[in-house]
């Protein structure tokens, strides 16, 4: 196995450790389950064989809406091993959202939770998905039954080009509908190697995993970096600040969204002693307030390392492992990644520090485009490979990037991205609604809280509660507005465009009490 294999074939990591240190722990749970690298190599083979018997071949999509569990990790690894394209779906997504994903990605098989099989089976069939299998939170279900069948062939393995697709991750967009970012085996492999090197991962590391598995943060930044370094995962079902605090003495690395750190700071037990065993705290997915950064250092002596990523590009920049980790900055480009800033008006290259421009990214981390959406691919990725991030940034004199805003209309709540357009379309379609504007307002716990400002049709009766109730059945919970304010009209500029800045200023203190 060469370094080149590691940068191009993500499954090669497991094979290497399973051969060199078969008994080393890959994954442990709080309930005492433990898998070595040899176990995961053997099991991923049986699971790949099960997928094959469901008709899956290399290049076929496998869509999965499952709870977080070791078996959900295994399913992903089985796909990597056999060259199937893994399409994870947030368990919070409603049936109508799942229906859209299935129609769009046209998977060979849909994996659903046993309790959802009755509802989602017909939805999958209507989307022409020929097979549905189940996977429960405890790892049981028809998929595990197939994998445990003695007829399983644990030797299944595809050796594919680094350009072959490994995963499709849906990310909503400014046009409303979610788009599938096509991530290749080379994207995954190169990015995990860059992170493992930059963050000095070793076989001695134990990463506490409290993130969801259906986003690139939890699956690729966390799981892949552990795999690429032969390290160990301690898998939690979900983030729970007290539980995380209790287990810090057993781990060396924590990766989280800023809300993790805000919540940990609320616990009196967070101090130098409880964090002494940890060598690295990483934050990303949303801006980490400089105040949280400083408070964390005062309490624990640890300087949180902030980095910047995107679904379409995986991780782009990082503060240094050794050297100054600056509050409010996301660091310098990772090895192999290029970042440039373009003047938002003229498109001219900005080559001076302290000037704000549109961030563009190029490198082996940039996705192959959007699934079955050539138009969007062409509009977001330039012919010479530069990806338009939609974020605005500036470099300081030391070459550290700071994200100063977004050109795209998007907000981030607890690390989850919400695109106002998607919600506004849903709200505007409700009876009695004339128009709406969705904004993010400052929220101590979630960073930003989804807030809808709604205008009723003349003579119509609408209320905050009725709008929230109607949205709850259509949208994943994290997208549903925390508050809906019914107002007589929306502020507009002379061009007729809704002035969201004014709305944000006007309601800035809504969540302060
Ligand atoms: C849960 N709720 C939320 C959110 N999470 N509402 C708004 N925003 C959220 N993020 C709802 C729940 O459904 C619940 O609703 C209520 O809020 C209270 O839930 P609570 O128990 O307090 O929340 P939680 O379950 O503890 O979740 C908070 C969390 C979680 C731990 C911060 O949201 C989380 O794990 N976020 C991580 C997201 C992530 O991995 N992002 C990475 C994206 P009700 O009361 O009605 O039941 S990848 C990315 O962005 C790029 C690539 C990158 O750079 O990483
Ligand atoms: P996603 O759509 O989930 O891929 O989220 C990507 C977006 O999250 C980026 O385009 C940024 O706007 C934002 N993001 C990720 N990491 C950071 C960070 N450290 N600071 C500020 N914004 C971030």
């Amino acid at each position: 196995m060469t370094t080149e294999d590691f940068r191009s074939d993500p499954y090669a990591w497991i094979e290497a450790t399973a051969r060199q240190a078969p008994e080393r722990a890959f994954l442990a749970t709080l309930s005492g389950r433990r898998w070595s690298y040899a176990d995961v190599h053997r099991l991923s083979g049986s699971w790949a064989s099960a997928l094959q018997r469901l008709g899956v071949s290399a290049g076929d999509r496998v869509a999965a809406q499952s709870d977080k569990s070791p078996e959900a990790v295994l399913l992903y690894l089985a796909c990597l091993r056999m060259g199937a394209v893994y399409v994870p779906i947030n368990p919070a997504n409603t049936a109508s959202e799942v229906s859209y994903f299935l129609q769009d990605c046209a998977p060979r098989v849909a994996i659903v939770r046993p309790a959802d099989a009755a509802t989602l089976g017909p939805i999958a069939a209507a989307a022409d998905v020929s097979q549905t299998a189940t996977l429960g939170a405890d790892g049981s279900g028809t998929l595990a039954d197939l994998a445990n069948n003695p007829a399983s062939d644990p030797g299944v393995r595809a050796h594919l080009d680094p350009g072959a697709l490994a995963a499709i991750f849906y990310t909503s967009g400014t046009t409303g509908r979610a788009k599938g970012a096509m991530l290749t085996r080379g994207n995954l492999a190169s990015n995990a190697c860059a992170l493992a090197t930059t963050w000095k991962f070793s076989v001695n590391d134990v990463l506490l995993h409290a993130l969801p598995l259906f986003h690139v943060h939890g699956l690729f930044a966390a799981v892949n970096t552990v795999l690429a370094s032969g390290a160990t995962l301690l898998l939690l079902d979900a983030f729970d600040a007290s539980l995380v605090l209790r287990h810090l003495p057993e781990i060396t690395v924590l990766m989280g969204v800023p809300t993790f750190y805000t919540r940990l700071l609320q616990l009196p037990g967070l101090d130098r002693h409880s964090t002494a065993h940890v060598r690295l705290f990483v934050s990303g997915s949303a801006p980490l307030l400089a105040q949280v950064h400083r408070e964390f250092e005062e309490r624990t002596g640890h300087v949180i390392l902030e980095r910047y990523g995107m679904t379409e590009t995986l991780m782009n920049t990082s503060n240094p492992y050794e050297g100054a980790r600056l509050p409010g900055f996301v660091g310098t480009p990772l090895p192999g990644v290029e970042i440039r800033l373009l003047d938002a008006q003229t498109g001219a290259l900005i080559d001076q520090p302290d000037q704000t421009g549109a961030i563009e990214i190029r490198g082996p981390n940039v996705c192959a485009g959007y699934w079955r959406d050539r138009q969007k691919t062409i509009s977001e990725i330039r012919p010479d490979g530069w990806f338009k991030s939609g974020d605005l940034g500036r470099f300081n004199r030391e070459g550290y990037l700071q994200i100063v805003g977004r050109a795209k209309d998007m907000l981030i709540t607890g690390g989850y991205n919400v695109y106002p357009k998607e919600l506004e379309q849903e709200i505007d379609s409700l009876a009695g609604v004339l128009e709406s504007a969705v904004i993010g307002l400052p929220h101590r716990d979630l960073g930003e809280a989804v807030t809808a400002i709604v205008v009723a049709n003349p003579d119509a009766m609408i209320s905050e509660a009725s709008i929230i109730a109607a949205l709850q059945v259509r949208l994943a919970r994290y997208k549903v507005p925390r508050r809906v304010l019914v107002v007589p009209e929306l502020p507009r500029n002379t061009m007729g465009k809704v002035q969201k800045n004014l709305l944000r200023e006007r309601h800035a203190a809504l969540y302060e009490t």
Side-chain angles (χ1 to χ4, degrees):
M1 200 81 50
T2 64
T3 316
E4 208 32 58
D5 289 328
F6 267 52
R7 288 189 199 286
S8 59
D9 178 6
Y11 196 79
W13 305 325
I14 298 176
E15 282 167 335
T17 309
R19 200 175 42 249
Q20 290 156 15
E23 293 313 316
R24 188 181 301 145
F26 161 60
L27 187 151
T29 66
L30 296 185
S31 61
R33 297 176 74 196
R34 183 186 177 280
W35 293 349
S36 67
Y37 273 85
D39 293 334
V40 76
H41 185 42
R42 182 174 40 79
L43 288 167
S44 66
S46 311
W47 282 58
S49 173
L51 290 174
Q52 253 186 359
R53 273 181 294 146
L54 287 166
V56 178
S57 309
D60 286 337
R61 273 79 57 213
V62 172
Q65 188 182 39
S66 58
D67 290 311
K68 187 175 177 184
S69 68
E71 285 75 11
V73 178
L74 199 53
L75 172 60
Y76 156 61
L77 298 178
C79 290
L80 268 188
R81 179 174 178 142
M82 68 176 304
V85 180
Y86 184 57
V87 189
I89 299 175
N90 185 341
N93 281 132
T94 61
S96 79
E97 290 170 319
V98 173
S99 168
Y100 168 76
F101 296 135
L102 296 182
Q103 303 268 359
D104 191 64
C105 79
R108 177 73 62 190
V109 53
I111 317 281
V112 302
R113 292 172 290 188
D116 296 334
T119 340
L120 293 181
I123 286 175
D128 273 342
V129 182
S130 55
Q131 295 279 356
T132 304
T134 58
L135 175 58
D138 61 358
S140 65
T142 58
L143 189 61
D145 293 346
L146 263 180
N148 294 334
N149 186 304
S152 265
D153 165 17
V156 177
R157 168 77 157 109
H159 291 275
L160 298 171
D161 187 85
L165 288 196
I168 296 176
F169 274 57
Y170 279 92
T171 158
S172 290
T174 43
T175 50
R177 272 303 192 185
K179 303 275 181 260
M182 300 192 291
L183 295 158
T184 65
R185 296 171 79 82
N187 292 150
L188 270 45
S190 64
N191 207 238
C193 288
L195 294 180
T197 310
T198 306
W199 295 342
K200 298 211 182 321
F201 265 71
S202 81
V203 297
N204 300 319
D205 276 312
V206 180
L207 181 140
L208 194 153
H209 195 295
L211 288 158
L213 287 168
F214 48 83
H215 273 308
V216 310
H217 191 167
L219 195 62
F220 299 150
V223 175
N224 283 358
T225 305
V226 162
L227 284 170
S229 23
T232 301
L233 280 175
L234 178 60
L235 200 77
L236 264 54
D237 294 341
F239 178 77
D240 171 328
S242 304
L243 206 56
V244 167
L245 181 63
R246 201 173 323 143
H247 290 278
L248 290 182
E250 296 152 40
I251 63 124
T252 61
V253 182
L254 176 71
M255 287 188 197
V257 296
T259 301
F260 283 22
Y261 295 104
T262 317
R263 290 189 184 178
L264 280 168
L265 279 167
Q266 282 162 14
L267 303 179
L270 183 88
D271 56 23
R272 283 174 190 261
H273 180 69
S274 57
T275 56
H277 196 257
V278 183
R279 71 171 181 88
L280 181 61
F281 289 94
V282 181
S283 176
S285 306
L288 181 74
L289 290 179
Q291 183 199 341
V292 174
H293 194 279
R294 293 198 185 97
E295 250 180 71
F296 200 86
E297 184 177 5
E298 277 161 26
R299 289 268 292 280
T300 67
H302 287 275
V303 184
I304 298 174
L305 181 151
E306 187 170 8
R307 55 69 183 169
Y308 162 53
M310 287 190 73
T311 302
E312 291 93 331
T313 62
L314 310 183
M315 301 305 116
N316 303 313
T317 69
S318 169
N319 271 280
Y321 187 75
E322 278 150 0
R325 300 177 191 167
L326 299 185
F329 286 80
V330 294
T332 57
L334 288 169
V337 177
E338 293 174 87
I339 305 251
R340 71 177 183 187
L341 302 180
L342 298 186
D343 184 285
Q345 259 72 50
T346 64
L349 185 69
I350 294 176
D351 53 7
Q352 296 296 314
D354 300 325
Q355 286 186 21
T356 299
I359 300 174
E360 298 202 349
I361 300 149
R362 185 163 75 173
N365 55 322
V366 174
C367 73
Y370 295 95
W371 175 252
R372 291 186 178 164
D373 196 338
R374 209 174 128 64
Q375 212 43 49
K376 171 102 173 148
T377 301
I378 292 169
S379 82
E380 304 301 311
I381 306 179
R382 298 182 191 275
D384 55 359
W386 287 102
F387 174 77
K388 303 174 193 169
S389 72
D391 292 315
L392 301 174
R394 66 179 189 95
F395 283 105
N396 72 2
R397 288 183 189 280
E398 286 73 44
Y400 283 54
L401 183 67
Q402 182 172 38
I403 315 273
V404 296
R406 299 169 198 140
K408 54 195 172 193
D409 189 11
M410 178 189 92
L411 63 102
I412 309 183
T413 175
Y416 286 122
N417 291 5
V418 173
Y419 285 83
K421 189 78 189 164
E422 180 186 0
L423 273 66
E424 288 160 4
Q425 283 172 351
E426 290 288 357
I427 297 170
D428 293 351
S429 72
L430 299 177
V433 172
L434 178 65
E435 60 173 353
S436 61
V438 169
I439 53 173
L441 292 177
H443 188 280
R444 179 152 167 81
D445 181 40
L446 297 168
E448 289 179 284
V450 182
T451 310
I453 318 289
V454 178
V455 180
N457 274 319
D459 306 326
M461 286 291 291
I462 56 170
S463 69
E464 175 166 30
S466 67
I467 290 179
I468 289 179
L471 293 176
Q472 258 158 358
V473 293
R474 297 166 191 233
L475 297 167
R477 178 69 190 88
Y478 70 92
K479 296 181 198 167
V480 175
R482 297 251 141 179
R483 293 292 315 270
V484 174
L485 308 179
V486 181
V487 299
E489 61 178 6
L490 297 176
R492 292 183 182 278
N493 65 15
T494 47
M495 309 289 288
K497 199 169 166 342
V498 175
Q499 292 171 298
K500 289 196 171 181
N501 277 349
L502 274 186
L503 288 172
R504 277 189 284 265
E505 278 167 29
R506 206 172 281 171
H507 302 291
L510 188 64
Y511 298 98
E512 259 175 26
T513 48

